[in-house]
Amino acid sequence: MLIRRRKTVAEAVVTTPAVAFGKVVMTVQDQTTVGAAELDVLAARLSEGALTTDPDVIEAHARDEALFCPHEGAIALVRATSATDVQEVMRFASEHGVPVVPQGARSGISGGANGSPGAILLNVSRMRDVISVNEAERLVTVQPGIINQDLKDHLAPFGLSYPPDPGSVGLSSIGGNIATNAGGLCCVKYGVTRDYVRSLTVVLADGTLTKLGPQTAKGVAGLDMRHLFVGSEGTLGIVVEATLRLIPKLPDPFTAVATFPDERSGLQTVADFMAAGGVPSLLEFLDSSSLKMLNEFGDFGLDDDAGSMLIMQVDQNPADSQVIMAQFAEVAEACGALDVAYSDDPTDSAALIAARRMIQPAYEKFANAHGGGQLLDDVCLPRVAMPEFCDRLKELQESSGLMIALVAHAGDGNTHPSVFFDANDAEQTAQAQEIFGEIMRIGLELGGTITGEHGVGYLKRDWLNGELDEGSRRIQIAVKNALDPQGLLNPGKMLSAI
Amino acid sequence: MLIRRRKTVAEAVVTTPAVAFGKVVMTVQDQTTVGAAELDVLAARLSEGALTTDPDVIEAHARDEALFCPHEGAIALVRATSATDVQEVMRFASEHGVPVVPQGARSGISGGANGSPGAILLNVSRMRDVISVNEAERLVTVQPGIINQDLKDHLAPFGLSYPPDPGSVGLSSIGGNIATNAGGLCCVKYGVTRDYVRSLTVVLADGTLTKLGPQTAKGVAGLDMRHLFVGSEGTLGIVVEATLRLIPKLPDPFTAVATFPDERSGLQTVADFMAAGGVPSLLEFLDSSSLKMLNEFGDFGLDDDAGSMLIMQVDQNPADSQVIMAQFAEVAEACGALDVAYSDDPTDSAALIAARRMIQPAYEKFANAHGGGQLLDDVCLPRVAMPEFCDRLKELQESSGLMIALVAHAGDGNTHPSVFFDANDAEQTAQAQEIFGEIMRIGLELGGTITGEHGVGYLKRDWLNGELDEGSRRIQIAVKNALDPQGLLNPGKMLSAI
């Protein structure tokens, strides 16, 4: 087997475990190096062509979609095609003290998949098979690299659904969804990724393959490691197979759209509707800036004179759905809605949701016309706190002069404010980063969390201390160090700054 | 403050941490003792009257409902009335190396709450307040000692439901439900305790108080410690407050009852109905022995000539519910049902469920008339494996001559076989214990788990090795030792034999 080598290949830095007390162990650079010879040995143990040290290829795989996160210094990229490849990489890594960055589709926006000094990028995108569909037990077993939407498409002929639908549904992989416990638009009724993980096969830091969780609907034999791995951002081990719980095919939803004179009345409607027992299958909020940017991006015909819009879906039977939509309309009107419209035409619903799903490209178009910078935040709040939160964003926008647009999976209180800035203007860039942090601070002040579904990664690691109390930080570090005593797995991410 | 002392108070054995590699650290007896003087100091730090060393009181609190589990040797009972009490006990315990057994209502059946040598029994039954109901966010915050049914009753006037409903709903506390991730009859549609835990306040081994999990619907800031604590059986820390997710009041269900000529056809109906996309809110199985014992216990009028019975509920709107009940009837008839009957009268439904909930007293009546012994197992299986499992139980019954009765939360594949025996006959007792283990072995062979919802405790600790692979055992031990390095929390339970 041939491995391409170039003179420019950086000699890898072998790392040794740091002695840490009360901090996450992280691999520390040493004088020793892992060079081409050692990587040759690893390559020979892997599927043919899995390992490359081509710096251009490494650079092309060294980052996800996050801004302001370092990604330099990786020494190799392994594109694993089997669990055995993953095991071999971790055996090599633990033997030589080499850090490993697990990667999937790299569609994340917290830098969780970014390279780090001396690391092997371990990409599982090529492991994308559906291994089995078990209709009787309503389970599917997949490799981690499968794209969420591809899984959904695969399941449709079986009359089965895998609900979690992050905004990145067409781009992001199930492994990455598990790593961040991804959510999406459906969560208000159907929950998040964790709620659908039945069992995981993972490779541990030392290369051991283990199965976590039973195949059965219930099971309490020992500590629940499977759910600990969900949302662990590649810091505890690497998922090489996942068995996911499915539900019968989701019915076509009914859709209501309400427009409001301002943001506050739209968000108050959400809080009041949910407090009154509303059970939507989707409840999305768009502020006036987001509506304008969407209309500038595509021919969506949204009412961009409105101060905000809610899209509400309900997927019960027609009679119950009508009742819920009427209840929604009543609450919206009491909160000052300009207009409430229903549709039971699946085409209308699909068009509206397609428009909502275009928000990120629309933001990008706006950003590109204004200097290219966009920082997308992910603060989840108590629903009742959303109107106040929105007021605070407006104050920030006024005081900074930077545009802040807001969309939200509002039924869950999960807001996504975006700060736009001129990326070529250092002062504005620094200001945007400050606002990004200030948004999280406000979120915490209002009883929220710094991240509802995007994860901590590198981007938010410095804010974790503001959310977790001392005891919580301490046991998280203890668990991380217990499972990864050499600090090999995704160093510098998530818990590394607490 | 006065502490009662008696001459018979066993002098406590101070324990020191064992050095363990690959095993759970457990406190080990030493020559030093914690005596009355030290316990006096602890008592003075606690709420008045919280600590007792009265051996009769200790003995009365030293065990749960499990058979064949040791419970001797506790040196004190603390009936905590506040989180501060719990913190003080853990500070004292970690200072002196004294093991602590957390307890709630002691309604468990795996010995998880049983005393152990030198331990303080730390009972939180008196901490039973509802701290707040948040209607807007659909959350309730409670102390751990509140009884599940009391919580349900408290929520009813708010139009809110807390679904988890273990068989022990009228006896067991929320803290115990969290410790074992309790399930029940509703799980087939509404999930288990873990699915409703929003956040936990826990006291760690060293007495630190920490809050785990956000208050918000979504949140991925750091490792998910809250779900790790659910099902950890008091081995990682002590829950002193829980915020639970609620759902709008459950609608009155429609009920169908089907009888079958034998067990196999009833269980096959479950597998086929669920594979066809059935969405029951309850699906319970009773075998012929269980039907007979119920009729002998009360005037339930069940058809005990039948070989088995299914009770199926659906709680959707009338039209959808009728469709689902017809679908159920069709599947049941195809599997050979003797009779299928529906009712939309809530009184009928309630009576049937009340009968189902009387199964344990009915078993006890039968057991008492046959030597007093009953071992209740808790094997969860893939649904398709239930008919085969039932055949294997019949073979065991025939070969042993011991009665084995079966009820199951069949929609989840969660079976509860009971082995009846003469507790005064040593040979029969040993035989029953062997069968109890053999049932778990068969469960594992058929792809199941040794415990679906009762927990491992002391009773099943020796079988855990049969379910968990080496890697899984290793990381569970690592996590336990990381959070409880002195091995103080509930030693001898769950992971202690792996």
Side-chain angles (χ1 to χ4, degrees), chain B residues 223-263:
Chain B
L223 297 175
D224 184 7
M225 304 307 296
R226 107 194 98 156
H227 286 127
L228 181 66
F229 271 71
V230 179
S232 65
E233 303 188 13
T235 66
L236 301 182
I238 299 163
V239 173
V240 291
E241 201 173 290
T243 297
L244 305 169
R245 185 173 75 87
L246 306 173
I247 61 174
K249 181 177 174 297
L250 297 176
D252 283 331
F254 296 79
T255 305
V257 177
T259 51
F260 298 86
D262 51 29
E263 279 84 3

Coordinates of all heavy atoms in Angstrom, one line a residue, chain B residues 223-263:
Chain B
L223 N -21.5 17.5 29.1 CA -21.9 16.1 29.1 C -23.3 16.0 29.8 O -23.5 16.7 30.8 CB -20.9 15.2 29.8 CG -19.5 15.1 29.2 CD1 -18.5 14.3 30.1 CD2 -19.6 14.5 27.8
D224 N -24.1 15.0 29.4 CA -25.4 14.9 29.9 C -25.4 14.1 31.2 O -25.7 12.9 31.2 CB -26.3 14.2 28.9 CG -27.8 14.2 29.4 OD1 -28.0 14.7 30.5 OD2 -28.6 13.5 28.8
M225 N -25.0 14.7 32.3 CA -24.9 14.0 33.6 C -26.3 13.7 34.1 O -26.4 12.7 34.9 CB -24.2 14.9 34.6 CG -22.8 15.3 34.1 SD -21.7 13.9 33.6 CE -21.5 13.0 35.1
R226 N -27.3 14.5 33.8 CA -28.6 14.2 34.4 C -29.1 12.9 34.1 O -29.6 12.1 34.9 CB -29.5 15.4 34.1 CG -30.6 15.0 33.1 CD -31.3 16.3 32.5 NE -30.7 16.6 31.2 CZ -31.3 17.3 30.2 NH1 -32.5 17.8 30.4 NH2 -30.7 17.5 29.1
H227 N -29.0 12.5 32.8 CA -29.5 11.2 32.4 C -28.6 10.0 32.8 O -29.1 8.9 33.0 CB -29.7 11.2 30.8 CG -30.9 12.0 30.4 ND1 -30.8 13.0 29.5 CD2 -32.2 12.0 30.9 CE1 -32.0 13.5 29.3 NE2 -32.9 12.9 30.2
L228 N -27.4 10.3 33.1 CA -26.5 9.3 33.7 C -27.0 9.0 35.1 O -26.9 7.8 35.6 CB -25.1 9.8 33.7 CG -24.0 8.8 34.3 CD1 -23.9 7.6 33.4 CD2 -22.7 9.5 34.4
F229 N -27.4 10.0 35.8 CA -27.9 9.8 37.2 C -29.2 9.0 37.2 O -29.5 8.3 38.2 CB -28.0 11.1 38.0 CG -26.8 11.5 38.7 CD1 -25.6 11.9 37.9 CD2 -26.6 11.4 40.1 CE1 -24.5 12.3 38.6 CE2 -25.4 11.8 40.7 CZ -24.4 12.2 40.0
V230 N -30.0 9.2 36.2 CA -31.3 8.4 36.1 C -30.9 6.9 35.9 O -30.2 6.6 35.0 CB -32.2 8.9 35.0 CG1 -33.5 8.1 34.9 CG2 -32.5 10.4 35.2
G231 N -31.4 6.1 36.8 CA -31.1 4.7 36.7 C -29.8 4.3 37.4 O -29.4 3.1 37.3
S232 N -29.2 5.2 38.1 CA -27.9 4.9 38.7 C -28.0 4.3 40.1 O -27.0 4.0 40.8 CB -26.9 6.1 38.7 OG -27.5 7.1 39.6
E233 N -29.2 4.1 40.6 CA -29.5 3.3 41.8 C -28.7 3.8 43.0 O -28.3 3.0 43.8 CB -29.2 1.8 41.6 CG -30.0 1.2 40.4 CD -29.9 -0.3 40.3 OE1 -29.4 -0.9 41.2 OE2 -30.4 -0.8 39.2
G234 N -28.6 5.1 43.1 CA -27.9 5.7 44.3 C -26.4 5.4 44.4 O -25.8 5.6 45.4
T235 N -25.8 5.0 43.3 CA -24.4 4.7 43.3 C -23.5 5.9 42.9 O -22.3 5.8 43.0 CB -24.0 3.5 42.4 OG1 -24.3 3.9 41.0 CG2 -24.9 2.3 42.8
L236 N -24.1 7.0 42.4 CA -23.3 8.1 41.9 C -23.6 9.4 42.8 O -22.8 10.3 42.7 CB -23.7 8.4 40.5 CG -23.4 7.3 39.4 CD1 -23.8 7.8 38.0 CD2 -22.0 6.8 39.5
G237 N -24.7 9.4 43.4 CA -25.0 10.6 44.2 C -26.5 10.5 44.7 O -27.1 9.5 44.4
I238 N -27.0 11.5 45.3 CA -28.3 11.4 45.9 C -29.1 12.6 45.4 O -28.8 13.7 45.6 CB -28.2 11.4 47.5 CG1 -27.4 10.2 47.9 CG2 -29.6 11.4 48.1 CD1 -26.9 10.4 49.4
V239 N -30.2 12.2 44.8 CA -31.1 13.3 44.2 C -31.9 13.9 45.4 O -32.5 13.2 46.2 CB -32.1 12.6 43.2 CG1 -33.2 13.6 42.8 CG2 -31.4 12.0 42.0
V240 N -31.8 15.2 45.5 CA -32.5 15.9 46.5 C -33.7 16.8 45.9 O -34.5 17.4 46.7 CB -31.6 16.8 47.4 CG1 -30.7 15.9 48.2 CG2 -30.8 17.8 46.6
E241 N -33.7 17.0 44.6 CA -34.7 17.8 44.0 C -34.7 17.4 42.5 O -33.7 17.2 41.9 CB -34.4 19.3 44.1 CG -35.6 20.2 44.0 CD -35.3 21.6 44.3 OE1 -35.0 21.9 45.5 OE2 -35.2 22.4 43.3
A242 N -35.9 17.3 42.0 CA -36.1 16.9 40.5 C -37.1 17.8 39.9 O -38.1 18.1 40.4 CB -36.5 15.5 40.4
T243 N -36.7 18.3 38.7 CA -37.6 19.1 37.9 C -38.0 18.2 36.7 O -37.2 17.7 36.0 CB -37.0 20.4 37.4 OG1 -36.7 21.2 38.5 CG2 -38.0 21.1 36.4
L244 N -39.3 17.9 36.7 CA -39.9 16.9 35.7 C -40.7 17.6 34.7 O -41.5 18.5 34.9 CB -40.7 15.9 36.5 CG -40.0 15.3 37.7 CD1 -41.1 14.5 38.6 CD2 -38.9 14.3 37.2
R245 N -40.6 17.1 33.5 CA -41.3 17.5 32.3 C -42.7 17.0 32.4 O -42.9 15.8 32.8 CB -40.6 17.0 31.0 CG -41.2 17.5 29.8 CD -40.3 17.0 28.6 NE -40.5 15.6 28.3 CZ -41.4 15.1 27.5 NH1 -42.2 15.9 26.9 NH2 -41.4 13.8 27.3
L246 N -43.7 17.8 32.1 CA -45.1 17.3 32.1 C -45.7 17.4 30.7 O -45.2 18.1 29.8 CB -45.9 18.1 33.1 CG -45.3 18.2 34.5 CD1 -46.1 19.2 35.4 CD2 -45.3 16.8 35.2
I247 N -46.8 16.7 30.6 CA -47.6 16.9 29.3 C -49.0 17.2 29.6 O -49.5 17.0 30.8 CB -47.5 15.6 28.4 CG1 -48.1 14.4 29.1 CG2 -46.0 15.3 28.0 CD1 -48.1 13.1 28.3
P248 N -49.8 17.7 28.7 CA -51.2 18.0 29.0 C -51.9 16.8 29.4 O -51.5 15.6 29.1 CB -51.7 18.5 27.6 CG -50.5 19.0 26.9 CD -49.4 18.2 27.3
K249 N -52.9 17.0 30.3 CA -53.6 15.9 30.8 C -53.9 14.8 29.8 O -54.4 15.1 28.7 CB -55.0 16.4 31.4 CG -55.9 15.4 32.0 CD -57.1 16.1 32.6 CE -58.1 15.1 33.1 NZ -58.7 14.2 32.1
L250 N -53.7 13.5 30.2 CA -54.0 12.4 29.3 C -55.5 12.3 29.1 O -56.2 12.3 30.0 CB -53.4 11.1 29.9 CG -51.9 11.1 30.0 CD1 -51.4 9.8 30.7 CD2 -51.2 11.2 28.7
P251 N -55.9 12.1 27.8 CA -57.3 11.9 27.6 C -57.8 10.5 28.1 O -56.9 9.6 28.3 CB -57.4 11.9 26.1 CG -56.0 11.6 25.5 CD -55.1 12.0 26.6
D252 N -59.1 10.4 28.3 CA -59.6 9.0 28.7 C -59.4 8.1 27.6 O -59.6 8.4 26.4 CB -61.1 9.1 29.0 CG -61.4 9.8 30.4 OD1 -60.6 9.7 31.3 OD2 -62.5 10.4 30.5
P253 N -58.9 6.9 27.9 CA -58.6 5.9 26.8 C -59.8 5.1 26.5 O -60.8 5.0 27.2 CB -57.5 5.0 27.5 CG -57.9 5.0 28.9 CD -58.5 6.4 29.2
F254 N -59.8 4.5 25.3 CA -60.7 3.4 24.9 C -59.9 2.1 25.2 O -58.7 2.1 25.0 CB -61.0 3.5 23.4 CG -61.7 4.8 23.0 CD1 -61.1 6.0 22.9 CD2 -63.1 4.7 22.9 CE1 -61.7 7.1 22.5 CE2 -63.8 5.9 22.5 CZ -63.1 7.1 22.4
T255 N -60.7 1.1 25.5 CA -60.1 -0.2 25.9 C -60.6 -1.3 25.1 O -61.8 -1.4 24.9 CB -60.3 -0.4 27.4 OG1 -59.9 0.7 28.2 CG2 -59.6 -1.7 27.9
A256 N -59.7 -2.2 24.7 CA -60.1 -3.4 24.1 C -59.5 -4.6 24.9 O -58.4 -4.4 25.4 CB -59.6 -3.5 22.6
V257 N -60.3 -5.6 25.0 CA -59.8 -6.8 25.7 C -59.9 -8.0 24.7 O -61.0 -8.2 24.1 CB -60.6 -7.1 27.0 CG1 -60.1 -8.4 27.6 CG2 -60.5 -6.0 27.9
A258 N -58.8 -8.8 24.6 CA -58.9 -10.0 23.8 C -58.4 -11.2 24.6 O -57.5 -11.1 25.4 CB -57.9 -9.8 22.6
T259 N -59.2 -12.2 24.4 CA -58.7 -13.5 25.0 C -58.3 -14.5 24.0 O -58.8 -14.4 22.8 CB -59.9 -14.1 25.9 OG1 -61.0 -14.2 25.1 CG2 -60.1 -13.3 27.1
F260 N -57.4 -15.4 24.4 CA -56.8 -16.3 23.4 C -56.8 -17.7 24.0 O -56.9 -17.9 25.2 CB -55.4 -15.9 23.2 CG -55.3 -14.5 22.5 CD1 -55.2 -13.4 23.4 CD2 -55.2 -14.3 21.2 CE1 -55.2 -12.1 22.8 CE2 -55.2 -13.1 20.6 CZ -55.1 -12.0 21.4
P261 N -56.7 -18.7 23.1 CA -56.7 -20.1 23.6 C -55.4 -20.4 24.3 O -55.4 -21.4 25.1 CB -56.9 -20.9 22.3 CG -56.4 -20.0 21.2 CD -56.7 -18.6 21.6
D262 N -54.4 -19.7 24.1 CA -53.1 -20.0 24.7 C -52.3 -18.7 24.8 O -52.7 -17.7 24.4 CB -52.3 -21.1 23.9 CG -52.2 -20.7 22.5 OD1 -52.2 -19.5 22.1 OD2 -52.2 -21.7 21.6
E263 N -51.1 -18.9 25.4 CA -50.2 -17.7 25.6 C -49.6 -17.2 24.3 O -49.5 -16.1 24.0 CB -49.1 -18.0 26.6 CG -49.5 -17.9 28.1 CD -50.1 -19.2 28.6 OE1 -50.2 -20.2 27.9 OE2 -50.6 -19.2 29.8

